Structure formats: C-alpha cells, structure tokens
Amino acid sequence: MGIWGNRRSEGSAPNDRKRATDGFGTLRLIAAFCIIIDHAAPLTKSGGSVLPVWFGFDLGTVMVSAFMAMSGYQVVQSWERDPHPWRFSVKRALRILPGLVVVLALCALVLGPLLTTLPTGAYFRHPATWSYLYDNLLIFPQRYALPGVFTENPYPNAVNGSLWSLAIEVLGYLLIAVFGLVGALRRRWVVLVVALALAVLFQRMLTAQWETPPVFLLVPTSPLVQYLAVYCVGILAHLYREKFRYAWGGVLVCVAVEVVMYASPMTELTRLVTVPYIALAIGTLLPSTLWLPSSLTAASYGVYLYGFPTEQLVVWAGARSELVVALVSVPIAFALGLLSWNLVEKPAMKLRRVLLRRKPEPPSHSAPTVEFERVRT
C-alpha cells in the first residue's frame, strides 16, 4: 500500500529514554493537548467544536483515532518482542493503572469533598462516591459523576469524561493477545479479515442498515466498533510494514480525501484509513529537529487523564469562554501530566523488574562429556 514514498515505518523506542528517538511521542502529546482544546467547547456549551462548523472536522474524534492507531501499531510490537500473556498483561497494567488509580483518588477523595454541594459526611456515605473509585478502577463500566460535584456546570455531573476510551484501549490489548495466542499475527490475513469485518459493521451502523444494541461489553457500541477497527488498522500497519511506505504526499492525499468527504455521512468510514495513515506517517517522517524530548512527551497519558477534570474545575471557577478554558487548562494539565509521569507512572514501570523477573535456568544434571586425546600409534 505504498503512496508516493520509499521510507518505511520503523519500531519506536521506549518513552523513558532521555532523548526522543522518533516523532510518535511528540504526536501523542500534541494529540492530548488537542483533545483538551476540543473539549472546551462542549464543556462551556459554546458549540460542538472549537473549529468552524463549515470545516466538518471533529478534532476530538480524530485525535482519539490517532491515539488508537499509534497504540495498535506500537503495542503489537511489544507482544512480538515478548509473546507471553502474563508478562504482556503486567506491562500493560503497569502502564495504565498506576496513573489511573491516582487521578481517581484525587478526584474522589480530594476534589470531591472540596467541591460537593453535600455535607462532607453525606458525600463519603454516598455509594456513588465509592462506585466512582472501584468501577473506574476496573475500567468496565465507567462512572463519570461524583455526588454533588460540578452539578451547576454547563456540562453537569461529569468529573472525568475522558475515561470512556480506556475500556477500548484495554480491549485493544486483549485483541492483540488473542491474535498472538491463536497465531493470527503470523497469519496476518486473519487480522485483515477482522479489520474488514469491523469496518463493514461500522458502515452498516452508520447507514442504519443493522440495528445494534447501544451498549456492548459495557461500552457504547458505535465508538467501540469504530476505534477497534482503527486499532486493527494500526496493527496491520506494523504487520504489513514492508508494504507501507509513508510520505508527505500520502498525507496530503488523505487530507484531500477528508476535505472531499467532510459533508458525507461516510466520512467516519474513510477516517478508519486516512487518520491512521496520517498519524503513523507523521510519527515516522517528522524531522528529528521537531522531536520533543521524552521527558516531556512521556506526560501525554497524564495530560489525557487530567485534562477533563482540569477543564471542569476551570469552568466551575467561573470561566465560560472556550478559549480561556483551553488556554488555562492545557498548561495545568501538562504540569499534572509531568507530575503523574515522574511521581507515579515512571516509578511504577520499574516494578516490571520485580514482577517479571525470570527464574534462572536450572543447572543441567547430565553427565559431563569427556574427550580423550587420540593416542598416536
């Protein structure tokens, strides 16, 4: 699937190196900032998007798609380096759970008691306080409301609306593990069939040809199908890496497709391909002079986790302009993301050495081989 280029995609290095080794970390951080900017409009009830309506571009949806494509592309490489279910699960859990635990605890046990309209005792006795903690920690299902918190905001009763995508991310991890265990990553056509099946299902849903339940696996069905399809495209980009050649010309073609399709109800379908290509091409082709150091880009997950509650807090404090909310929230979320990485996520990643320590090979008890020098006659 080469498009006007000859540079091939390459694997990316871990985020905890001192220097950036590719453009993916930079792109992830920018995507996290863009999601915060996109949320500013609905959280202030000033419109559906920060971009003009005529552009027909949902910034948040596109950025989540970019995240999913990059995740599928890079996490499948983690499985290939160490195709072991337990070690793979531990690595993935240590990547997302520690930061999630802390943001949930801060929202429920610090922010909630300070902002709730309920008496403090009633707040802590309310079952929703504790279901917010343990349900979101389990990731399925997600809970967004804390009792009496942000009830007067333009977008009320939602403390952290960004948590919904974590369930799809975890299902993407599970999908990679299943693909690996059944041998589908070696028979890559199987992954291609799954991606096509998800795309067909999504197309039928967009055109109301198939009636599907609104919720499946405790996740809204439409985004579940959409983003798992994107996740599979990211996986395929790695599996077929010898056929994928990224070029800025290809990026322009994808952008042109988006411009042509923006008024069509099928634009979400074309984005199953165009957005992953754009994201992976930028991550691969971005000049090294534009790479941000990993000490900054490692904050992207924390920025994503803290962006929504930060915006709601800024709105609660009285801001009603989407521009003001975005400009104030982005640097605060960035600072919190850096703290999350350095104080929580990075130390937790070191637990890999303990939890995944491999047992030494047992000594061989076979009789030693003795070689005798040939006797000359």
Side-chain angles (χ1 to χ4, degrees):
M1 299 180 67
I3 302 180
W4 301 349
N6 55 12
R7 183 171 179 179
R8 298 183 180 180
S9 60
E10 299 173 354
S12 59
N15 282 339
D16 57 354
R17 293 186 181 178
K18 293 183 179 179
R19 294 183 179 181
T21 54
D22 58 38
F24 287 101
T26 301
L27 184 57
R28 281 193 298 269
L29 183 60
I30 293 173
F33 289 156
C34 287
I35 289 173
I36 294 176
I37 293 170
D38 185 69
H39 282 163
L43 292 185
T44 56
K45 292 293 185 181
S46 57
S49 175
V50 295
L51 298 176
V53 175
W54 60 264
F55 196 73
F57 184 82
D58 189 331
L59 183 63
T61 298
V62 170
M63 291 300 107
V64 172
S65 292
F67 266 124
M68 293 296 174
M70 289 187 287
S71 184
Y73 178 75
Q74 294 182 308
V75 173
V76 72
Q77 297 177 47
S78 175
W79 174 271
E80 288 187 338
R81 285 191 296 267
D82 185 13
H84 188 280
W86 165 248
R87 292 193 291 270
F88 179 78
S89 301
V90 170
K91 291 174 186 176
R92 303 276 63 80
L94 289 177
R95 185 64 193 96
I96 66 171
L97 288 182
L100 178 62
V101 169
V102 173
V103 74
L104 292 176
L106 288 175
C107 286
L109 305 180
V110 178
L111 187 67
L114 291 175
L115 302 185
T116 183
T117 57
L118 301 178
T120 302
Y123 172 83
F124 281 111
R125 287 193 299 271
H126 201 292
T129 301
W130 305 105
S131 64
Y132 179 87
L133 278 171
Y134 59 72
D135 281 347
N136 285 325
L137 183 58
L138 294 174
I139 299 179
F140 299 91
Q142 296 81 40
R143 305 289 183 190
Y144 305 118
L146 282 170
V149 179
F150 298 142
T151 55
E152 302 301 322
N153 278 23
Y155 194 96
N157 302 315
V159 176
N160 197 342
S162 294
L163 298 179
W164 68 269
S165 65
L166 292 182
I168 300 177
E169 180 76 14
V170 170
L171 290 173
Y173 297 161
L174 178 61
L175 194 62
I176 288 176
V178 171
F179 282 153
L181 291 173
V182 302
L185 298 180
R186 294 191 302 271
R187 303 174 183 88
R188 53 192 183 180
W189 62 268
V190 177
V191 183
L192 180 59
V193 169
V194 172
L196 290 174
L198 288 169
V200 170
L201 175 58
F202 187 51
Q203 187 270 338
R204 294 293 189 269
M205 294 171 65
L206 288 174
T207 55
Q209 295 183 56
W210 287 354
E211 184 176 349
T212 56
V215 175
F216 183 70
L217 297 177
L218 302 179
V219 180
T221 305
S222 182
L224 172 65
V225 174
Q226 177 183 7
Y227 293 121
L228 282 184
V230 171
Y231 208 92
C232 285
V233 172
I235 296 171
L236 288 168
H238 172 68
L239 296 181
Y240 286 92
R241 57 194 176 277
E242 78 282 359
K243 298 184 181 296
F244 272 90
R245 288 168 174 81
Y246 299 110
W248 292 115
V251 173
L252 291 177
V253 169
C254 291
V255 171
V257 170
E258 287 299 305
V259 172
V260 171
M261 294 292 294
Y262 84 92
S264 168
M266 290 295 99
T267 184
E268 294 295 341
L269 192 64
T270 60
R271 285 177 184 167
L272 299 183
V273 176
T274 57
V275 173
Y277 182 89
I278 292 171
L280 298 179
I282 293 176
T284 301
L285 300 174
L286 191 69
S288 58
T289 53
L290 298 179
W291 296 350
L292 295 174
S294 60
S295 58
L296 298 180
T297 61
S300 59
Y301 178 55
V303 170
Y304 185 79
L305 286 178
Y306 285 94
F308 197 103
T310 297
E311 289 182 285
Q312 284 286 61
L313 184 60
V314 171
V315 173
W316 175 86
R320 289 297 182 269
S321 165
E322 63 185 70
L323 181 61
V324 171
V325 171
L327 289 177
V328 172
S329 300
V330 165
I332 294 175
F334 183 43
L336 292 173
L338 287 172
L339 289 173
S340 177
W341 169 252
N342 287 287
L343 300 181
V344 180
E345 300 165 50
K346 187 177 180 180
M349 298 281 278
K350 295 179 181 179
L351 291 175
R352 291 182 179 186
R353 301 173 184 174
V354 177
L355 297 176
L356 302 180
R357 183 178 297 165
R358 302 188 184 186
K359 296 180 180 179
E361 295 292 332
S364 175
H365 297 291
S366 58
T369 302
V370 180
E371 296 184 358
F372 294 93
E373 185 180 358
R374 180 178 294 178
V375 179
R376 297 181 180 179
T377 57

